[in-house]
Amino acid sequence: MGFLSDPIILSRIQFAVTSIFHMLWPVLTIGMAGYLVVVEILWLLTKNPDYYRHARFWSKIYILNFGCGVASGVALEFEFGANWSPFSVAVGDFFGTILGFEGTMAFMLEAAFLGIMISGWHRVPSWLHLLSTIMVFVGASLSSFWIIVANSWIQTPAGGEMVNGKFIVHDFIQAIFNPAALSSWFHMVLAILETALFVIGGISAWYILKNRHHAFFSKSFKLALALAIFVTPLQLFVGHISGEQVYHNQPTKLAAIEAIWDTIPAGESAPWTALVAPDIAGEKNHWEVNIPHALSYILEMKPTLSEPVKGLKEWQPQDRPHAISLIFYSFRIMVGIGFFLCGLMLFSVIQWLRGKLAIENITKQRWLMRGWVFAAPLGYLAVEFGWIVREVGRQPWTVYGKIRTADAVSHLPANTVLTSLIAYTVIYLLLFSSALYFGSRIVRQGPNLELPLPTGSNEREFVGEVVGTKIQKGEV
């Protein structure tokens, strides 16, 4: 329990707890905002009332997630100043500006149109409501872009240099579009969309299993599946590109991901390790299960390497990650979930083509529906384990190769950090429990299939009621 007296470890644990918890909410919020755009477009094109009622039903879950995301994200901003003040001082000219962009340019755009999207169905024209839904999605996606830019920059810093302990920006564009930025953002956006689609599909499958509104939820299930046809395999491809970026720009992280201790020189074949038991002190693996040549194909799509894969021994122990098992297995869990979701999507498409997802047959596909219910939380796990690989693999650096974590942390007493860690954990557990309670209530209650449609006559009726009320009160 020596870590309880180490403020560096406690600050890292605290930031990990707040980050992991906060990430749960925007993942679904952003992805579901995109789904709501598609549903609303289908409503306007087809005038099928089911799509309108789907938009109203799923927006309830969206609002709950949005609120939890806002509440949980505030702590992260405070931690940069409280727990990581030397880091904030050193890189604030760039890092702080990017976070400012996220707040003023992206979050405010999303928040500005949110009220219209949620409450404007009978108050504004249909085209304006659709525009509001689109802008909410654009704002949320833009928010993810700036967050990923900030994080990618500390992974592959560019666009300036350290001068007397402070990062001086020479090229702001180069810093924004650092080597990891675009591949990381595309990878995260697809992860967000994939997670949201399988959550929506999983909840829809639950209703179908319960034989509750199965005709209604077969539409949301098949729409989620149709979108997953494009998103799921594309995510695997972009994830591969992101891995290539790590290969070229963060060799210590790649060595930790693959538990490679000795350098594999160019011209040789590199095996891929499926299972391993690392020995940190002995700088070796106790045992490992390898697939010959596989890593060479993964990295370069050929049997031998044109560039060496550096082993962990190339760096001094203080300059390389130490949590090898955590990084190694977190990566494989993330990848394994990605392939499972892709396989589930492919099998579901086959069943769809066979006519098994037709209204009269879909309730009989119980094992398939159970598979989707099981898959509903897996996207979250993949995202969380992916970020563990990304952040723990960056150690011992806060800014890769430039600022060590030990130099970036504030000089706070360990008991102070421990107290705030416990407080955050308790608050987050309460918030998580509340979200599960209210979320389950929304799902148990189900959609309102009698909800009046926002037709022109309904809009005029609503306006007439409002005006009549104001006249009675003497306000008009």
Side-chain angles (χ1 to χ4, degrees):
M1 300 293 286
F3 71 90
L4 293 177
S5 60
D6 189 334
I8 298 176
I9 295 178
L10 289 173
S11 291
R12 288 181 60 192
I13 292 174
Q14 179 173 298
F15 200 84
V17 168
T18 51
S19 299
I20 286 173
F21 182 84
H22 171 66
M23 202 177 302
L24 292 171
W25 313 107
V27 164
L28 186 58
T29 299
I30 300 170
M32 190 168 284
Y35 183 83
L36 289 173
V37 171
V38 175
V39 169
E40 189 166 347
I41 290 174
L42 289 173
W43 150 244
L44 294 176
L45 290 176
T46 66
K47 294 303 179 182
N48 186 329
D50 280 352
Y51 289 121
Y52 167 69
R53 289 165 183 145
H54 269 298
R56 298 298 297 270
F57 172 74
W58 295 109
S59 64
K60 294 179 183 179
I61 299 176
Y62 174 89
I63 296 168
L64 178 63
N65 272 266
F66 181 85
C68 291
V70 172
S72 61
V74 172
L76 294 171
E77 306 292 340
F78 283 111
E79 283 182 273
F80 283 121
N83 295 76
W84 304 97
S85 56
F87 164 78
S88 299
V89 171
V91 302
D93 288 353
F94 176 76
F95 197 83
T97 301
I98 296 301
L99 294 185
F101 286 167
E102 189 273 333
T104 57
M105 183 190 303
F107 178 75
M108 295 308 295
L109 176 65
E110 180 184 7
F113 285 93
L114 181 63
I116 301 175
M117 188 190 88
I118 299 304
S119 304
W121 283 103
H122 296 274
R123 293 171 168 82
V124 300
S126 57
W127 66 267
L128 180 55
H129 191 278
L130 175 60
L131 175 63
S132 300
T133 306
I134 292 172
M135 295 310 292
V136 167
F137 176 58
V138 170
S141 301
L142 193 58
S143 179
S144 72
F145 173 76
W146 290 119
I147 293 298
I148 294 298
V149 163
N151 183 268
S152 296
W153 181 83
I154 65 176
Q155 306 283 341
T156 54
E161 60 180 335
M162 298 295 297
V163 178
N164 297 324
K166 189 176 178 66
F167 186 80
I168 305 300
V169 181
H170 298 317
D171 188 332
F172 212 82
I173 299 300
Q174 186 182 20
I176 291 174
F177 296 101
N178 59 81
L182 290 181
S183 63
S184 297
W185 184 57
F186 289 138
H187 191 35
M188 189 63 196
V189 166
L190 290 170
I192 287 168
L193 294 174
E194 186 174 20
T195 300
L197 291 175
F198 278 91
V199 168
I200 292 168
I203 294 174
S204 301
W206 181 84
Y207 278 102
I208 294 169
L209 277 172
K210 298 292 183 180
N211 205 15
R212 288 183 59 190
H213 314 302
H214 71 275
F216 180 81
F217 280 102
S218 69
K219 286 185 174 64
S220 57
F221 177 81
K222 286 188 276 192
L223 179 56
L225 174 57
L227 295 173
I229 292 172
F230 301 97
V231 172
T232 309
L234 186 59
Q235 170 68 314
L236 295 177
F237 174 72
V238 173
H240 171 73
I241 294 175
S242 187
E244 289 182 341
Q245 179 275 126
V246 172
Y247 174 36
H248 296 296
N249 296 297
Q250 293 182 290
T252 53
K253 181 185 291 187
L254 178 65
I257 288 172
E258 300 300 334
I260 297 173
W261 294 97
D262 297 302
T263 296
I264 304 173
E268 292 190 9
S269 177
W272 181 76
T273 304
L275 299 171
V276 75
D279 178 5
I280 307 298
E283 297 186 324
K284 62 180 183 179
N285 296 325
H286 288 299
W287 55 264
E288 56 190 32
V289 177
N290 292 328
I291 301 176
H293 314 296
L295 184 59
S296 300
Y297 282 102
I298 291 172
L299 294 177
E300 300 187 11
M301 300 300 293
K302 57 184 182 180
T304 58
L305 298 168
S306 59
E307 298 180 29
V309 175
K310 293 184 178 181
L312 289 165
K313 291 182 182 179
E314 292 284 340
W315 297 272
Q316 294 297 318
Q318 67 271 20
D319 294 332
R320 65 196 187 206
H322 283 211
I324 306 301
S325 294
L326 177 62
I327 299 168
F328 180 92
Y329 284 107
S330 294
F331 179 81
R332 277 146 184 80
I333 292 172
M334 176 191 68
V335 173
I337 290 173
F339 277 102
F340 174 80
L341 295 181
C342 191
L344 180 61
M345 178 274 295
L346 288 172
F347 181 72
S348 302
V349 169
I350 292 172
Q351 294 297 87
W352 195 356
L353 294 175
R354 294 176 63 205
K356 301 297 184 179
L357 301 186
I359 299 299
E360 62 274 12
N361 294 326
I362 194 168
T363 55
K364 301 174 185 177
Q365 306 303 307
R366 302 192 66 80
W367 282 107
L368 179 60
M369 296 301 115
R370 289 190 184 106
W372 276 80
V373 172
F374 174 77
L378 295 184
Y380 290 110
L381 293 177
V383 169
E384 299 289 12
F385 280 110
W387 275 89
I388 288 173
V389 173
R390 186 175 177 87
E391 302 308 304
V392 178
R394 173 171 43 83
Q395 298 301 319
W397 306 96
T398 297
V399 180
Y400 190 79
K402 296 186 180 296
I403 302 177
R404 290 181 178 274
T405 302
D407 298 327
V409 71
S410 300
H411 299 290
L412 297 172
N415 60 341
T416 301
V417 183
L418 180 61
T419 300
S420 62
L421 170 59
I422 294 172
Y424 279 131
T425 302
V426 171
I427 293 171
Y428 280 169
L429 287 174
L430 290 173
L431 185 59
F432 184 69
S433 300
S434 300
L436 287 180
Y437 172 73
F438 288 108
S440 63
R441 281 190 59 181
I442 293 171
V443 173
R444 286 197 305 270
Q445 182 180 359
N448 181 2
L449 299 184
E450 303 300 324
L451 201 63
L453 303 180
T455 60
S457 59
N458 284 342
E459 290 177 10
R460 288 192 295 272
E461 181 181 340
F462 177 82
V463 172
E465 290 177 357
V466 173
V467 173
T469 303
K470 288 182 177 291
I471 292 173
Q472 291 176 3
K473 293 181 178 180
E475 297 177 8
V476 177

